[in-house]
Amino acid sequence: MSPQNTPDPNLDPDLDDTDLLPRRRFLTLAGAGLLTIGFGSLAESVVGGLSEPLNQQVESLIFKPQQPVPEFPISAIEPDKLIVNSFRGTPAIDQLAYRLTIDGEVNQPLSLSTQDLKDLPFVDMVIRHVCVEGWAAIVQWGGVRLRDLVAIAKPSNKAKYVYFYSADGYYESWDIDSALHPQTLMAYQKNGQDLTPEYGAPLRLASPIKLGYKLSKWVTRIELRSELGQKRGYWEDLSYEWYAGI
Ligand SMILES: Nc1nc2c(c(=O)[nH]1)N[C@H]1C(S)=C(S)[C@@H](COP(=O)(O)O)O[C@H]1N2
Ligand SMILES: [Mo]
C-alpha cells in the first residue's frame, strides 16, 4: 500500500484545501503505522501511545475482562440455517475502493482498507445468530474485535454510543459497553470463508449479545457519539426495541 498516492474515496467533496492537507497527512501516518506496528502487542502499543486524555470509562471497558458468552464447537455450525435477510437487497460495493471510516468522538479518525483490517489481530467465534422473525442459526464468524478498532481510534471522553452506517442505507446505534464487548466483531469471514456479498461483504457486525437486526451488514462508517440521536436504527425507528440484547 502506498497511502501517499492512494485517493481516498470517502473524502468529503465539500472539504476545502485547508482541511485536505492535514487529512492527507494523517492518512499517510495512519497507513504507515498500520503497516509497521506489531499488532500482536496492540494493547501495549495503545496503552503506550496514550498521550491524550482518554475516556476513563471507555479505557476501563477496553481493558477490563468482560464475561464472554459460551461459544459452540465447530461441529455445531449450521451452514444452511442463516437466512439472508436484507431490507433492500445487496448493495454493490467496490472492494478495492472500500474504506471503513471511524470518526466522531475519537482523537484519531481512521480510514481503513480491507487489507488494513486483515492486518489487525484475527478473532473467530462460533455463536448463535437470532432473528426476531423466529429463526436462528449457529454460525462461525471471523474478523476484528470492534474494541481493537475503537482503541486505535482513541475515543474521546464523550463517547457513549456507537453508530453504524451501511452501504444499503441501513443504520444502527449501540450502547458503548455492548460495542466494546470482546465478542463484538467486525467480521469479514463466515464459516471459515470470506463473506459473500449477500451476507455483508466486505464487513459486518457479528455478536452473540444482540438480536439479528443490530448486526449491520456492509458497514462503511462507525461513528462514536456522546448522545443518541433522534434516529436510532432502521428497525428501531419503526418501533423495534433499541437495546435488543439476547
Ligand atoms: N445493512 C443491513 N444489515 C442488516 C440487515 C439489512 O437489511 N441491512 N438485516 C438485519 C437482519 S434483520 C438480520 S436477521 C441479519 C441477517 O443477516 P444475514 O442476512 O447474513 O443472515 O442482518 C441484519 N443486518
Ligand atoms: Mo432479523
Side-chain angles (χ1 to χ4, degrees):
M1 187 174 81
S2 123
Q4 298 91 325
N5 302 325
T6 310
D8 177 8
N10 299 323
L11 265 186
D12 184 341
D14 295 325
L15 283 180
D16 64 32
D17 288 352
T18 49
D19 289 323
L20 212 51
L21 183 61
R23 177 108 191 249
R24 286 243 167 89
R25 191 166 289 153
F26 165 70
L27 286 176
T28 304
L29 294 171
L34 282 172
L35 290 176
T36 53
I37 293 174
F39 279 106
S41 58
L42 178 71
E44 287 95 326
S45 67
V46 170
V47 173
L50 294 182
S51 52
E52 308 187 49
L54 187 75
N55 181 346
Q56 291 298 320
Q57 178 216 350
V58 173
E59 191 184 355
S60 62
L61 280 169
I62 289 176
F63 298 109
K64 177 178 78 187
Q66 294 184 66
Q67 197 56 39
V69 174
E71 296 179 14
F72 295 87
I74 299 271
S75 58
I77 294 172
E78 300 170 311
D80 304 324
K81 286 217 182 162
L82 189 68
I83 297 168
V84 172
N85 204 356
S86 305
F87 86 107
R88 202 188 258 169
T90 300
I93 297 180
D94 177 344
Q95 305 265 333
L96 286 177
Y98 172 86
R99 294 292 181 276
L100 172 70
T101 301
I102 305 181
D103 63 2
E105 293 292 346
V106 296
N107 291 308
Q108 188 167 291
L110 300 172
S111 172
L112 304 173
S113 67
T114 53
Q115 188 57 53
D116 293 333
L117 292 161
K118 285 178 182 169
D119 288 340
L120 288 164
F122 175 83
V123 175
D124 61 14
M125 62 182 182
V126 181
I127 57 133
R128 180 179 277 121
H129 175 102
V130 181
C131 175
V132 279
E133 289 169 34
W135 56 271
I138 296 176
V139 186
Q140 181 186 39
W141 300 106
V144 180
R145 285 190 167 111
L146 180 55
R147 70 196 310 188
D148 287 354
L149 293 173
V150 169
I152 301 169
K154 299 188 176 172
S156 88
N157 55 11
K158 294 193 200 133
K160 298 222 165 45
Y161 300 95
V162 183
Y163 274 72
F164 302 89
Y165 303 93
S166 299
D168 61 342
Y170 202 78
Y171 56 96
E172 270 301 333
S173 59
W174 286 43
D175 59 290
I176 197 140
D177 299 32
S178 298
L180 299 180
H181 186 278
Q183 288 157 302
T184 297
L185 302 192
M186 298 311 300
Y188 51 81
Q189 283 187 6
K190 173 172 80 71
N191 299 337
Q193 311 275 315
D194 278 352
L195 277 182
T196 51
E198 69 271 30
Y199 287 105
L203 198 67
R204 68 169 297 158
L205 270 163
S207 161
I209 62 166
K210 294 286 186 192
L211 287 168
Y213 63 86
K214 299 299 276 189
L215 304 175
S216 301
K217 303 191 280 189
W218 312 296
V219 174
T220 57
R221 180 180 173 209
I222 298 173
E223 182 194 20
L224 275 65
R225 300 223 327 216
S226 56
E227 286 175 10
L228 276 179
Q230 204 141 56
K231 294 186 142 221
R232 297 180 172 195
Y234 179 79
W235 290 112
E236 290 87 333
D237 294 343
L238 297 168
S239 87
Y240 280 46
E241 200 235 327
W242 175 73
Y243 189 79
I246 295 185

